[in-house]
Amino acid sequence: MNKKVKLLDEGASKTDSPVTGLSPGRLALDRFRRDKVAVWSLYVVCFFVFIAIFAPVLTTLFNISPYTLDRRALNDYGNPLGRFGGVSWNHPLGVEPGTGRDILGRLMYGARVSLLIGFIGTIVTTSVGLTLGMLAGLRKGFVDSLITRLADVTLAFPSLLLIIALNRPLTQRLESIGVPEGNFARMTYIILVLTVFGWVYMARLIRAQVLSLREREFIEAAQSFGASNGHLIFKQLLPNLWAQVIVFATLSLPGYVAVEASLSFLGIGLMAPAASWGIMLGDSVRYYRVDPTYLLIPGVTLMILVMAFNLMGDGLRDAVDPKSDKQQL
Amino acid sequence: MSPLLEVTDLKKYFATGTSKLLHRPTGQVKAVDGVSLSVEAGQTLGIVGESGCGKSTLARILTRLIDVDSGSIVLNGVDITKLRGAGLQKVRRDIQIIFQDPYNSLNPRHSAGQIIATPMQIQKTVSKKDEVLRVKELLELVGLNPEHYNRFPHEFSGGQRQRIGIARSLALQPKIIVADEPVSALDVSIQAQILNLLEDLQRDLGIAFVFIAHDLSVVRHIADKVAVMYLGKIVEMGSSKVIYANATHPYTKALMSAVPVAKTGTDRKTRILLTGDVPSPIDPPSGCRFRTRCWKAQDICEKLEPDLMDRGDGCVSACHFPEIKA
Ligand SMILES: Nc1ncnc2c1ncn2[C@@H]1O[C@H](COP(=O)(O)OP(=O)(O)OP(=O)(O)O)[C@@H](O)[C@H]1O
Ligand code: SF4
Ligand SMILES: [Mg+2]
């Protein structure tokens, strides 16, 4: 090689440890690990997931069944005995006024419902939105107009009214086509409506992003080596979309948890004696004067979960974006 | 010996201003309108012209990124104009492109190593084991630190990024590289470094270049042959020695006078300033396309389009009144 080229790479001494090619996923993981807040949020989320999965085991273990009525924990008016809503060894977070059901037990079971709806809703809306958005952005013309119109129409619907109005007939329809009756059918309905109205935002975001990315020269560069469409989509485009997808997913997940709560509050979705955070919140509002702790517990829990997801989402977004890396390699 | 790359009468018209109502194009941009040229192995052809004259379109046609409307591209004796599938895939190894904008041409989510490895992965030219080794070799070849393998594009300067782009274009060991204004986006001081690098690479690896630029000064050192484009057509072309010494087309002369040259006293040329804008390529002037800005234009220029004619010294010029020195 010639002199000029040699001169310029003086920094590259041969004694250095051999450089290995790290995958972008590995580099992202390293960046995530360095973000303390994100890592702790991940722990919190994992904790909730753990509780949700093992709720039946845990409640049996600690003898805090969410369904057992405990009259002895209530006074004559049906209010919990003792301070803070009846906190005691038997009932670590107190009992439900009127029934005496254990709040910790109900909270644990509620986490199952909230997280299930949150995760499934997010996975389905995100993948539907991502697919339709990419399709619209990549296939201009007819496919694009079709998807864009569909999105506009969906947004034009008064969604909440529709969700309330369609609750009964659609749940019954679900049951008639073989979805197990009762709370399972109601949950399916919630996930269904979340998806029908939720994909639009994701799809629009992705479409806009794809439209601008496809004009970038690195796409043409890949084409000049003979890249297949699969390579262009999965290796060139998708890595540039992950940040958006992750932000969207981590924001919509706590959103769906909250939507489940509000729908249960409105009487759509699960019904007591089933436990969900929405049912608990709706119920506790009736007692907030005599038993404020009851309102506080599901409220604060919901808040912690939502915050943990958002902080974790921030961390993930920074991790997949190489530009956020402030540390010198 | 036949040239490495020979193209004949390339035409590419873009439809513009699609009317919403009829879904029919309302106009045509004649981006490339009958371009013929050839490049010898290991040599450099410089293509010069103002913004919008169709240089990038030509580059995309040559590298088969867009299909041409008519004309033919012959690479190494094989007609690649209509090639598809496996045949095209194989040809892509031989002809590569370097882009103008080092910020847009590298995927921001891929590390430098990954960017350079991609062509080899797609074309499966090296084994997984040798890949990292080869990438480091390429990084070194273009004057980058192989230790920077895992760095991302944003951690490099513009010049360094362009080096990554160059390394990537070298990865498949092409016979010819089309460089579309590879230094326009860079600082003047860095331009020289990149130009030197390209020259060194050409000398060491024997690669042919089609080097696109918007002014003549950039291609002066590097080009063996130059072609001057105006509104989708070549107006003058020939060996750069002859053209730089004796331009005959008024447009070339105008571009030439914009080139800063260190000359003393009496030999100094008067500077020709081009007035007016480049006419719209949707509706180019009749006859000679340059006539709206030409100070020598006569009636015939409006009526008759000048063909590329041999000037008598191996160069061609498309003007009714070429200034051929005796
Ligand atoms: N995909 C396209 N669709 C429609 N018109 C196009 C398209 N690509 C290029 N053009 C038009 O073709 C003409 C030539 O464009 P091109 O990009 O080749 O010019 P250029 O010489 O590379 O200019 P620059 O120096 O600015 O890069 C321009 O008028 C441009 O508007
Ligand atoms: S043909 Fe006429 S208008 Fe065109 S460049 Fe020559 S003199 Fe000028
Ligand atoms: Mg260009």
Side-chain angles (χ1 to χ4, degrees), chain A residues 215 217, chain B residues 12-17 28-32 47-60 66 100 180-181 184 212-214 229 231-232 279-282:
Chain A
E215 301 302 328
E217 278 169 350
Chain B
K12 181 74 192 176
Y13 298 171
F14 290 111
T16 55
Q28 269 184 332
V29 179
K30 300 184 174 177
V32 172
I47 296 180
V48 178
E50 279 167 294
S51 183
C53 71
K55 305 183 299 289
S56 297
T57 308
L58 182 60
R60 289 184 166 89
I66 54 176
Q100 170 175 1
D180 185 6
E181 303 198 37
S184 313
I212 295 170
H214 61 246
M229 270 183 89
L231 283 181
S280 155
I282 296 174

Side-chain angles (χ1 to χ4, degrees), chain A:
Chain A
M1 196 163 325
N2 60 76
K3 229 184 294 153
K4 165 150 263 109
V5 173
K6 268 281 167 268
L7 241 156
L8 281 160
D9 63 50
E10 260 175 345
S13 67
K14 301 281 171 293
T15 54
D16 281 329
S17 62
V19 193
T20 45
L22 299 180
S23 73
R26 182 60 213 287
L27 294 170
L29 190 67
D30 286 350
R31 276 191 296 268
F32 186 80
R33 285 222 190 93
R34 271 183 244 132
D35 186 346
K36 288 268 164 12
V37 177
V39 171
W40 277 103
S41 312
L42 177 67
Y43 291 157
V44 172
V45 169
C46 287
F47 174 73
F48 274 101
V49 171
F50 174 83
I51 299 264
I53 292 172
F54 294 103
V57 182
L58 292 170
T59 49
T60 318
L61 205 64
F62 297 112
N63 192 25
I64 42 171
S65 161
Y67 304 118
T68 312
L69 308 179
D70 187 358
R71 290 289 320 169
R72 282 171 307 158
L74 304 173
N75 63 16
D76 293 344
Y77 305 104
N79 289 333
L81 282 169
R83 281 142 68 87
F84 307 119
V87 171
S88 68
W89 281 114
N90 287 339
H91 304 292
L93 289 181
V95 293
E96 212 178 47
T99 60
R101 289 186 291 222
D102 186 85
I103 288 182
L104 182 58
R106 292 186 68 71
L107 207 59
M108 286 178 170
Y109 267 80
R112 285 169 87 85
V113 175
S114 299
L115 287 179
L116 199 66
I117 288 182
F119 272 111
I120 296 181
T122 302
I123 290 169
V124 178
T125 42
T126 308
S127 20
V128 171
L130 181 63
T131 314
L132 290 180
M134 287 191 79
L135 216 64
L138 288 172
R139 300 274 196 97
K140 291 175 180 167
F142 177 71
V143 179
D144 185 23
S145 353
L146 190 76
I147 294 173
T148 314
R149 297 284 141 73
L150 201 66
D152 292 342
V153 170
T154 310
L155 281 184
F157 271 124
S159 53
L160 190 60
L161 275 181
L162 227 68
I163 292 172
I164 296 171
L166 289 178
N167 180 27
R168 275 297 183 74
L170 261 185
T171 311
Q172 279 166 6
R173 181 101 189 89
L174 281 172
E175 286 169 354
S176 74
I177 58 168
V179 178
E181 246 171 79
N183 281 333
F184 196 87
R186 295 198 191 100
M187 238 162 84
T188 313
Y189 174 70
I190 291 191
I191 291 171
L192 203 72
V193 293
L194 286 182
T195 315
V196 167
F197 293 106
W199 68 273
V200 177
Y201 304 98
M202 182 74 191
R204 289 188 147 195
L205 201 75
I206 295 298
R207 175 180 173 270
Q209 193 71 12
V210 168
L211 282 180
S212 91
L213 283 171
R214 59 178 290 163
E215 301 302 328
R216 304 271 296 269
E217 278 169 350
F218 63 81
I219 300 288
E220 276 194 319
Q223 284 170 328
S224 78
F225 329 127
S228 61
N229 284 339
H231 175 96
L232 292 179
I233 292 173
F234 292 105
K235 294 276 172 63
Q236 303 289 341
L237 280 179
L238 265 184
N240 286 285
L241 297 172
W242 280 138
Q244 256 98 349
V245 171
I246 284 168
V247 173
F248 179 85
T250 45
L251 284 178
S252 66
L253 198 143
Y256 291 159
V257 171
V259 167
E260 182 278 327
S262 13
L263 288 182
S264 298
F265 182 85
L266 291 172
I268 296 165
L270 302 205
M271 300 223 178
S276 96
W277 294 353
I279 295 175
M280 291 175 81
L281 276 170
D283 194 36
S284 66
V285 171
R286 294 191 286 145
Y287 298 101
Y288 80 96
R289 273 165 183 275
V290 285
D291 188 358
T293 328
Y294 182 27
L295 179 64
L296 224 54
I297 288 168
V300 170
T301 314
L302 189 64
M303 198 189 78
I304 292 174
L305 182 69
V306 169
M307 250 178 71
F309 264 111
N310 283 338
L311 292 173
M312 189 182 78
D314 280 350
L316 274 175
R317 180 190 53 202
D318 290 348
V320 294
D321 180 5
K323 281 203 196 91
S324 69
D325 201 351
K326 278 158 205 99
Q327 189 174 330
Q328 282 291 307
L329 279 168

Side-chain angles (χ1 to χ4, degrees), chain B residues 217-234:
Chain B
S217 65
V218 174
V219 293
R220 180 159 207 155
H221 286 324
I222 200 163
D224 302 292
K225 221 165 105 178
V226 282
V228 178
M229 270 183 89
Y230 190 75
L231 283 181
K233 281 185 179 290
I234 290 179

Side-chain angles (χ1 to χ4, degrees), chain A residues 1-2 4-6 8-9 11-14 16-24 27 31 215-228 231 235-237 239-243 317 320-325 327-329, chain B residues 60 63 65-66 89 92 95-97 99-101 103-111 114-115 118-119 121-123 132 136 140-152 154-155 163 168 172 193 196-197 200-201 203-204:
Chain A
M1 196 163 325
N2 60 76
K4 165 150 263 109
V5 173
K6 268 281 167 268
L8 281 160
D9 63 50
S13 67
K14 301 281 171 293
D16 281 329
S17 62
V19 193
T20 45
L22 299 180
S23 73
L27 294 170
R31 276 191 296 268
E215 301 302 328
R216 304 271 296 269
E217 278 169 350
F218 63 81
I219 300 288
E220 276 194 319
Q223 284 170 328
S224 78
F225 329 127
S228 61
H231 175 96
K235 294 276 172 63
Q236 303 289 341
L237 280 179
N240 286 285
L241 297 172
W242 280 138
R317 180 190 53 202
V320 294
D321 180 5
K323 281 203 196 91
S324 69
D325 201 351
Q327 189 174 330
Q328 282 291 307
L329 279 168
Chain B
R60 289 184 166 89
T63 48
L65 285 169
I66 54 176
Q89 193 78 355
R92 290 206 181 280
I95 183 156
Q96 286 288 302
I97 182 165
F99 292 94
Q100 170 175 1
D101 182 355
Y103 294 84
N104 257 326
S105 58
L106 307 180
N107 192 329
R109 301 290 160 130
H110 289 175
S111 65
Q114 208 185 354
I115 288 169
T118 302
Q121 289 164 355
I122 290 175
Q123 290 277 349
V132 176
K136 280 196 259 174
E140 217 165 326
L141 188 64
V142 298
L144 288 171
N145 186 339
E147 307 280 312
H148 293 169
Y149 189 101
N150 285 320
R151 284 203 186 175
F152 285 88
H154 70 93
E155 294 172 80
R163 285 172 194 265
R168 172 175 63 184
L172 296 173
Q193 285 180 20
N196 285 336
L197 173 67
D200 292 344
L201 289 171
R203 201 181 49 229
D204 296 350

Side-chain angles (χ1 to χ4, degrees), chain B residues 77-268:
Chain B
V78 183
D79 188 336
I80 64 163
T81 326
K82 296 259 150 59
L83 226 50
R84 307 220 155 263
L88 179 61
Q89 193 78 355
K90 204 152 164 285
V91 161
R92 290 206 181 280
R93 283 182 209 172
D94 290 336
I95 183 156
Q96 286 288 302
I97 182 165
I98 300 170
F99 292 94
Q100 170 175 1
D101 182 355
Y103 294 84
N104 257 326
S105 58
L106 307 180
N107 192 329
R109 301 290 160 130
H110 289 175
S111 65
Q114 208 185 354
I115 288 169
I116 297 168
T118 302
M120 298 185 271
Q121 289 164 355
I122 290 175
Q123 290 277 349
K124 304 189 181 68
T125 49
V126 293
S127 67
K128 200 88 200 123
K129 196 162 57 70
D130 297 337
E131 193 185 285
V132 176
L133 227 65
R134 174 87 180 114
V135 169
K136 280 196 259 174
E137 214 175 274
L138 284 163
L139 280 168
E140 217 165 326
L141 188 64
V142 298
L144 288 171
N145 186 339
E147 307 280 312
H148 293 169
Y149 189 101
N150 285 320
R151 284 203 186 175
F152 285 88
H154 70 93
E155 294 172 80
F156 293 97
S157 69
Q160 287 174 319
R161 287 186 205 210
Q162 202 55 303
R163 285 172 194 265
I164 296 174
I166 292 169
R168 172 175 63 184
S169 72
L170 293 172
L172 296 173
Q173 296 173 292
K175 298 198 172 67
I176 181 165
I177 292 178
V178 178
D180 185 6
E181 303 198 37
V183 298
S184 313
L186 305 175
D187 275 2
V188 179
S189 56
I190 295 160
Q191 285 188 357
Q193 285 180 20
I194 297 291
L195 288 174
N196 285 336
L197 173 67
L198 290 174
E199 256 177 325
D200 292 344
L201 289 171
Q202 178 166 50
R203 201 181 49 229
D204 296 350
L205 306 172
I207 299 171
F209 276 104
V210 173
F211 193 102
I212 295 170
H214 61 246
D215 68 88
L216 278 163
S217 65
V218 174
V219 293
R220 180 159 207 155
H221 286 324
I222 200 163
D224 302 292
K225 221 165 105 178
V226 282
V228 178
M229 270 183 89
Y230 190 75
L231 283 181
K233 281 185 179 290
I234 290 179
V235 295
E236 184 154 32
M237 176 164 65
S239 115
S240 49
K241 251 197 217 99
V242 181
I243 300 272
Y244 277 93
N246 180 17
T248 65
H249 195 283
Y251 182 58
T252 315
K253 286 181 105 61
L255 286 182
M256 203 75 88
S257 76
V259 177
V261 269
K263 277 193 178 162
T264 43
T266 51
D267 204 17
R268 191 172 255 144

Side-chain angles (χ1 to χ4, degrees), chain B residues 235 248-252 286-302 304-307 317-322:
Chain B
V235 295
T248 65
H249 195 283
Y251 182 58
T252 315
S286 64
C288 175
R289 292 185 179 191
F290 186 56
R291 74 177 161 79
T292 51
R293 298 161 84 195
C294 184
W295 58 95
K296 290 168 65 184
Q298 310 273 322
D299 286 350
I300 184 174
C301 304
E302 193 180 335
L304 195 67
E305 181 158 6
D307 285 329
S317 175
C319 176
H320 293 304
F321 309 102

